[in-house]
Amino acid sequence: MKHILILTESSSVPYIYECALTFGYKPIFLYTIDAWDIRIDYSYELIDFSKSEKDIAEFLKGKYEDIVGVVSCIEQLTHKMAKISELLGVSINSRSSYTNLRDKKAMKECWEQNGVSTPKSYGIFHNSNIGRDDLLYPVIVKPVFGAASAGVKKISSFSELQSQIKHILRYNLTTLANEGKVKSGFIIEQFVMGAEYSVDTIWVNGKPILSGILSKSTPKEPDFPDRLYFTDTKLDCETREKILEETYKGISAAGVKNGCTHTEVRVMDGKVFLIEAALRPGAGGALYRILTESTEIDFYKYLIIANTPSLIAAYNNTEEIIVTPQKRFFWYNVSYEGSGKIKGLDVKKELAEDSNIKSVIFRRKIGSYLPREGMSSSYLAWVIGLLPESVNSEFEIESYMNYMDNNIIVSYG
């Protein structure tokens, strides 16, 4: 029996499972030992990722025969899973490519050295004693090893910078402890305005074979949380080509040959700026659902292909598939107020019965602690659905997001 190991977020499990079966593989889903949203109807393993890569690989190799590939979709574990893949004999990239797209210091250096358009970096810092006087405010400050926009903030003065640095250093000491990155510091960079997009690309032997561009609502300042992504049926061809050209340049410069990348970009005065990228699918795989729904191209199928060495060889000559979204499907990260231990979670009747809403997925459970927004690398809830035809302007999009927020209730106690 050929096995494929998969680390993803729970709502993507059924889709990846079906795709793996079509290739004749038995999927084994991996979860962290503190996972609460396990899909028990699918074969799985609880993994203590605090153990060494060697110990984890030996355990998996001893239990599952003929492991053909590893699909890794979770940001904080991409580098560790890459090492495990090497030990299992199913590596698909050089280890440096994972570093380049996880460590923002390495990412910036890589892009700047290769002429990739990206906001100017003022440097990497490790304590609050910032002695520079050449910062042109506003600037962006963020953790070197952040995720889900945690710790990202637009700063307009030195006093604001000092305050946010304290929050980031605390984030590094707590959230990043499992990665061993408590001393990783923070990055200060140029603030770039403009429309924001994300690009999910699937790579085979250094070639992009499938890309989905998602438009984003204008992220709210100053924290710019991930909020609304949608398949934009009105994106013009010129902007699309510019975004893909610069994205491909940046990902290739990072050394990626295979697998899946998620890139965040801004377009200012017709110029594309790469904000950051990761070597995994957007939202842990969940964005593939709206891309698949909108285009009728199974992104999950190509996720399996690009992470399995034997399939990579078989699909080496695949030409890039042109993606044209037919409908405006969206993924929405619900906004919330406050923080604390969750006492209750609920979806109001109006939203539950809305025909445009396909799924409401809670990312936290009752009894867990919910940090305040802006300093959390996880989420409260996702909504997946079809944007109503009446929702077009920025004001209408903002109103629709408020409608979803108001119909998902969290209480603390």
Side-chain angles (χ1 to χ4, degrees):
M1 171 67 72
K2 294 181 178 180
H3 293 91
I4 185 166
L5 307 177
I6 301 161
L7 179 67
T8 188
E9 58 82 31
S10 59
S11 72
S12 294
V13 167
Y15 304 98
I16 300 176
Y17 175 84
E18 292 297 332
C19 287
L21 292 184
T22 64
F23 291 109
Y25 304 150
K26 181 175 181 180
I28 306 297
F29 293 92
L30 308 182
Y31 293 89
T32 59
I33 55 174
D34 59 348
W36 62 272
D37 54 348
I38 297 170
R39 304 297 293 257
I40 61 174
D41 293 338
Y42 303 88
S43 298
Y44 70 92
E45 286 290 344
L46 289 176
I47 302 296
D48 182 356
F49 283 101
S50 68
K51 292 185 176 180
S52 71
E53 292 87 353
K54 182 180 178 181
D55 286 345
I56 295 171
E58 286 181 351
F59 165 75
L60 293 168
K61 192 183 297 185
K63 188 163 184 180
Y64 298 103
E65 61 183 25
D66 201 1
I67 296 172
V68 297
V70 174
V71 178
S72 178
C73 303
I74 305 302
E75 173 80 359
Q76 294 89 337
L77 292 169
T78 50
H79 203 273
K80 188 147 195 164
M81 291 301 294
K83 293 180 183 178
I84 292 169
S85 297
E86 286 181 18
L87 294 168
L88 293 173
V90 290
S91 177
I92 59 170
N93 286 303
S94 65
R95 196 177 296 179
S96 62
S97 62
Y98 293 91
T99 299
N100 288 338
L101 294 187
R102 177 65 181 135
D103 181 337
K104 291 181 176 61
K105 177 178 183 292
M107 189 187 303
K108 280 291 182 182
E109 290 175 349
C110 168
W111 285 350
E112 290 172 348
Q113 291 167 7
N114 287 277
V116 177
S117 177
T118 188
K120 172 188 174 181
S121 170
Y122 288 99
I124 307 297
F125 307 89
H126 295 86
N127 58 58
S128 58
N129 300 318
I130 301 296
R132 298 187 63 144
D133 57 7
D134 63 339
L135 300 182
L136 297 177
Y137 295 103
V139 296
I140 293 292
V141 60
K142 56 188 176 184
V144 173
F145 284 85
S149 299
V152 178
K153 192 167 186 178
K154 177 184 174 184
I155 300 298
S156 298
S157 68
F158 185 72
S159 61
E160 284 184 21
L161 180 61
Q162 293 287 86
S163 176
Q164 186 63 11
I165 286 170
K166 293 177 182 178
H167 289 303
I168 291 176
L169 294 179
R170 189 180 303 118
Y171 171 85
N172 292 351
L173 284 169
T174 54
T175 303
L176 295 182
N178 290 335
E179 287 188 77
K181 304 299 182 183
V182 295
K183 297 182 179 179
S184 56
F186 55 93
I187 183 171
I188 301 175
E189 65 183 27
Q190 170 194 11
F191 171 61
V192 173
M193 300 176 67
E196 191 163 344
Y197 304 88
S198 72
V199 186
D200 271 273
T201 303
I202 297 176
W203 299 79
V204 168
N205 281 333
K207 298 182 297 184
I209 64 169
L210 181 61
S211 284
I213 299 177
L214 298 174
S215 290
K216 300 178 66 175
S217 63
T218 303
K220 283 189 176 182
E221 300 182 10
D223 296 315
F224 305 100
D226 290 334
R227 196 59 75 206
L228 180 74
Y229 293 75
F230 64 97
T231 50
D232 192 345
T233 56
K234 297 179 181 179
L235 181 63
D236 65 274
C237 292
E238 182 181 0
T239 301
R240 180 185 185 278
E241 291 306 315
K242 284 183 178 180
I243 290 172
L244 291 181
E245 180 182 3
E246 202 63 36
T247 296
Y248 293 168
K249 184 178 179 181
I251 299 302
S252 296
V256 174
K257 299 298 181 184
N258 301 291
C260 310
T261 56
H262 176 77
T263 309
E264 302 280 346
V265 310
R266 276 190 181 244
V267 180
M268 183 172 69
D269 298 329
K271 183 177 181 180
V272 176
F273 290 84
L274 268 60
I275 305 301
E276 56 189 41
L279 221 172
R280 46 84 180 163
L287 294 187
Y288 280 16
R289 180 172 169 190
I290 64 172
L291 287 166
T292 298
E293 292 275 8
S294 174
T295 64
E296 297 185 354
I297 299 169
D298 195 338
F299 274 68
Y300 291 106
K301 169 188 172 182
Y302 291 95
L303 170 70
I304 297 290
I305 290 169
N307 286 278
T308 309
S310 59
L311 292 179
I312 288 169
Y315 283 79
N316 185 45
N317 296 320
T318 300
E319 294 295 323
E320 183 174 3
I321 301 167
I322 303 301
V323 173
T324 305
Q326 303 299 315
K327 298 178 180 179
R328 295 189 307 158
F329 277 88
F330 71 86
W331 173 97
Y332 180 63
N333 169 34
V334 175
S335 176
Y336 62 89
E337 299 289 338
S339 64
K341 186 177 180 181
I342 297 175
K343 180 181 180 181
L345 293 169
D346 198 13
V347 181
K348 288 186 178 179
K349 184 177 180 180
E350 183 179 3
L351 188 70
E353 296 180 353
D354 188 331
S355 61
N356 288 308
I357 304 302
K358 307 304 178 184
S359 299
V360 176
I361 303 160
F362 283 109
R363 304 297 300 162
R364 294 278 180 160
K365 66 175 180 177
I366 293 174
S368 66
Y369 181 80
L370 184 65
R372 74 170 181 85
E373 277 205 305
M375 291 307 298
S376 173
S377 57
S378 56
Y379 306 87
L380 171 64
W382 296 342
V383 181
I384 292 175
L386 190 62
L387 275 181
E389 293 183 6
S390 60
V391 175
N392 292 289
S393 68
E394 193 66 37
F395 174 78
E396 290 163 345
I397 288 175
E398 181 78 19
S399 297
Y400 194 68
M401 291 191 295
N402 289 337
Y403 155 71
M404 289 186 282
D405 291 342
N406 292 335
N407 279 278
I408 294 179
I409 307 301
V410 56
S411 58
Y412 308 100

